[in-house]
Amino acid sequence: VPAAWQRPYLNIFKHFRVEEWKRSAREGDVAALTDARLKGTVYRIRGSVPTSSYLQLPRTGTQSLGLAGRYLYLLFKPMPRKHFVVHLDVATEENQVVRISFSNLFKEFKSTATWLQFPFICGAAKGSVYDCTARASRRDLVGSAPADVRWTCLVLDLHSILSLYLNRRYSHLKSIKLCSNLLVKNLCTSDLVFDPGVTFSEARQADLACRGVAPMPREMAFPVPKGEKWHDLYDYIRFPSEGSKVPYDSIQKSSAGHVAVSGDPLCQLPQLVTLTKAVRDRLSLIHQITSPKAVSALWKG
């Protein structure tokens, strides 16, 4: 369980003051830029060889981030027509260090007792040439990112990854190494599932907190212009996919693109959020009519 200072979430870049480069390290072409679309600072990591440029937290391999949140959120954008690599070193409850890597360089999933390598498949904007090609061939395009690759919120369930693929129990996140070529807005850890497509008022109305689901914290969110929808502008990838018993061998966007809260169809987003009072009242009425007491009364009548 994360310590109090890590709850309800920890903004990693802010907490470790990445911009000062005292508790983090950078190598090669790493620069802080202002992104007009996201209205804030992003870090650009680029290089001809993915390992030649990187941003690393903490600064040295002998230190540890010590972050115990179950989910790691990475807000990033692969660079068009380029390859990137991300390495995460996590500790198990048995004090074993396991490296989790994902990249659009990897052609297939590979695993050892201490290293999991996942291919990352970059989705293209809906309706684009890349998207249509992928649909026509009934598979996503493996390899370098498409020209119209989008900003992505990647949610890694570190607990489930270790459990599913190595039968190990997750303890904490030790280090993160972001290698070229990508743009990164932020990183955070939490025990909560954040859905960027849900507003604070919708979350309250649908009482999502009791299901461990929350709206994306404002300092972590991508901007959405008035009248637009988050999921039409950005990609949301949760890995492993919620409810999946079979381990997937690649990280990619699901067809739904939304957070699934549980197997119960009434607990799915966004349907749950859009239930109006009238619909809930009707469901309540149906429940009352079909309850054993009501059926019994009807038989007696």
Side-chain angles (χ1 to χ4, degrees), residues 22-78:
K22 288 176 183 170
R23 300 164 77 187
S24 57
R26 59 177 167 172
E27 185 68 43
D29 189 354
V30 180
L33 312 169
T34 299
D35 187 280
R37 178 170 185 174
L38 298 193
K39 301 179 176 68
T41 301
V42 300
Y43 292 90
R44 184 190 66 200
I45 306 158
R46 65 181 182 183
S48 53
V49 181
T51 51
S52 65
S53 297
Y54 60 82
L55 188 163
Q56 179 179 291
L57 284 150
R59 191 174 179 84
T60 67
T62 55
Q63 300 168 310
S64 173
L65 294 173
L67 301 178
R70 173 173 182 162
Y71 302 103
L72 173 69
Y73 291 79
L74 172 59
L75 305 178
F76 80 116
K77 180 182 177 181

Side-chain angles (χ1 to χ4, degrees), residues 2-146:
W5 63 276
Q6 296 182 29
R7 295 198 298 260
Y9 67 93
L10 185 87
N11 181 331
I12 296 175
F13 277 6
K14 187 177 179 181
H15 181 80
F16 291 95
R17 295 177 182 165
V18 169
E19 73 282 357
E20 295 179 6
W21 305 110
K22 288 176 183 170
R23 300 164 77 187
S24 57
R26 59 177 167 172
E27 185 68 43
D29 189 354
V30 180
L33 312 169
T34 299
D35 187 280
R37 178 170 185 174
L38 298 193
K39 301 179 176 68
T41 301
V42 300
Y43 292 90
R44 184 190 66 200
I45 306 158
R46 65 181 182 183
S48 53
V49 181
T51 51
S52 65
S53 297
Y54 60 82
L55 188 163
Q56 179 179 291
L57 284 150
R59 191 174 179 84
T60 67
T62 55
Q63 300 168 310
S64 173
L65 294 173
L67 301 178
R70 173 173 182 162
Y71 302 103
L72 173 69
Y73 291 79
L74 172 59
L75 305 178
F76 80 116
K77 180 182 177 181
M79 284 190 185
R81 302 187 179 92
K82 302 283 186 184
H83 293 96
F84 74 90
V85 181
V86 173
H87 299 297
L88 311 170
D89 285 346
V90 300
T92 68
E93 286 190 354
E94 301 81 25
N95 275 328
Q96 183 181 31
V97 177
V98 174
R99 171 158 283 196
I100 299 170
S101 301
F102 58 93
S103 170
N104 55 350
L105 265 173
F106 301 156
K107 297 285 186 258
E108 59 186 26
F109 168 68
K110 291 181 181 176
S111 76
T112 69
T114 56
W115 199 359
L116 297 171
Q117 296 180 24
F118 296 100
F120 185 95
I121 297 171
C122 299
K126 201 173 177 182
S128 68
V129 174
Y130 283 86
D131 182 48
C132 295
T133 305
R135 285 170 189 272
S137 63
R138 297 195 175 185
R139 66 177 183 81
D140 285 292
L141 297 165
V142 179
S144 61

Side-chain angles (χ1 to χ4, degrees), residues 199-216:
T199 65
F200 284 86
S201 59
E202 286 170 341
R204 271 197 306 274
Q205 189 182 341
D207 195 21
L208 297 182
C210 68
R211 295 174 179 86
V213 176
M216 185 66 79

Side-chain angles (χ1 to χ4, degrees), residues 85-250:
V85 181
V86 173
H87 299 297
L88 311 170
D89 285 346
V90 300
T92 68
E93 286 190 354
E94 301 81 25
N95 275 328
Q96 183 181 31
V97 177
V98 174
R99 171 158 283 196
I100 299 170
S101 301
F102 58 93
S103 170
N104 55 350
L105 265 173
F106 301 156
K107 297 285 186 258
E108 59 186 26
F109 168 68
K110 291 181 181 176
S111 76
T112 69
T114 56
W115 199 359
L116 297 171
Q117 296 180 24
F118 296 100
F120 185 95
I121 297 171
C122 299
K126 201 173 177 182
S128 68
V129 174
Y130 283 86
D131 182 48
C132 295
T133 305
R135 285 170 189 272
S137 63
R138 297 195 175 185
R139 66 177 183 81
D140 285 292
L141 297 165
V142 179
S144 61
D148 56 354
V149 64
R150 306 204 291 185
W151 277 96
T152 299
C153 173
L154 174 62
V155 188
L156 295 175
D157 184 342
L158 301 174
H159 176 278
S160 290
I161 290 172
L162 285 188
S163 174
L164 273 173
Y165 294 90
L166 293 175
N167 200 25
R168 297 278 183 183
R169 292 176 67 86
Y170 174 67
S171 171
H172 60 274
L173 176 64
K174 279 178 62 68
S175 69
I176 299 165
K177 192 172 186 179
L178 307 168
C179 305
S180 54
N181 291 279
L182 44 80
L183 296 164
V184 186
K185 181 182 188 284
N186 217 331
L187 287 156
C188 101
T189 54
S190 180
D191 267 353
L192 294 172
V193 174
F194 295 126
D195 185 338
V198 176
T199 65
F200 284 86
S201 59
E202 286 170 341
R204 271 197 306 274
Q205 189 182 341
D207 195 21
L208 297 182
C210 68
R211 295 174 179 86
V213 176
M216 185 66 79
R218 287 188 177 91
E219 62 182 309
M220 295 293 296
F222 290 145
V224 179
K226 198 160 185 160
E228 300 265 18
K229 290 184 178 173
W230 194 98
H231 288 284
D232 291 338
L233 302 171
Y234 310 108
D235 282 347
Y236 183 95
I237 300 174
R238 187 166 168 193
F239 186 82
S241 297
E242 174 71 2
S244 166
K245 296 207 167 60
V246 182
Y248 281 86
D249 61 0
S250 65

Side-chain angles (χ1 to χ4, degrees), residues 228-292:
E228 300 265 18
K229 290 184 178 173
W230 194 98
H231 288 284
D232 291 338
L233 302 171
Y234 310 108
D235 282 347
Y236 183 95
I237 300 174
R238 187 166 168 193
F239 186 82
S241 297
E242 174 71 2
S244 166
K245 296 207 167 60
V246 182
Y248 281 86
D249 61 0
S250 65
I251 300 175
Q252 58 185 297
K253 188 182 179 184
S254 68
S255 55
H258 293 286
V259 179
V261 186
S262 78
D264 183 344
L266 284 181
C267 293
Q268 300 286 331
L269 286 178
Q271 294 95 317
L272 179 65
V273 172
T274 55
L275 278 176
T276 63
K277 187 175 184 301
V279 175
R280 284 199 294 271
D281 289 347
R282 195 169 295 176
L283 288 173
S284 175
L285 183 63
I286 292 167
H287 178 72
Q288 288 168 25
I289 292 170
T290 56
S291 69

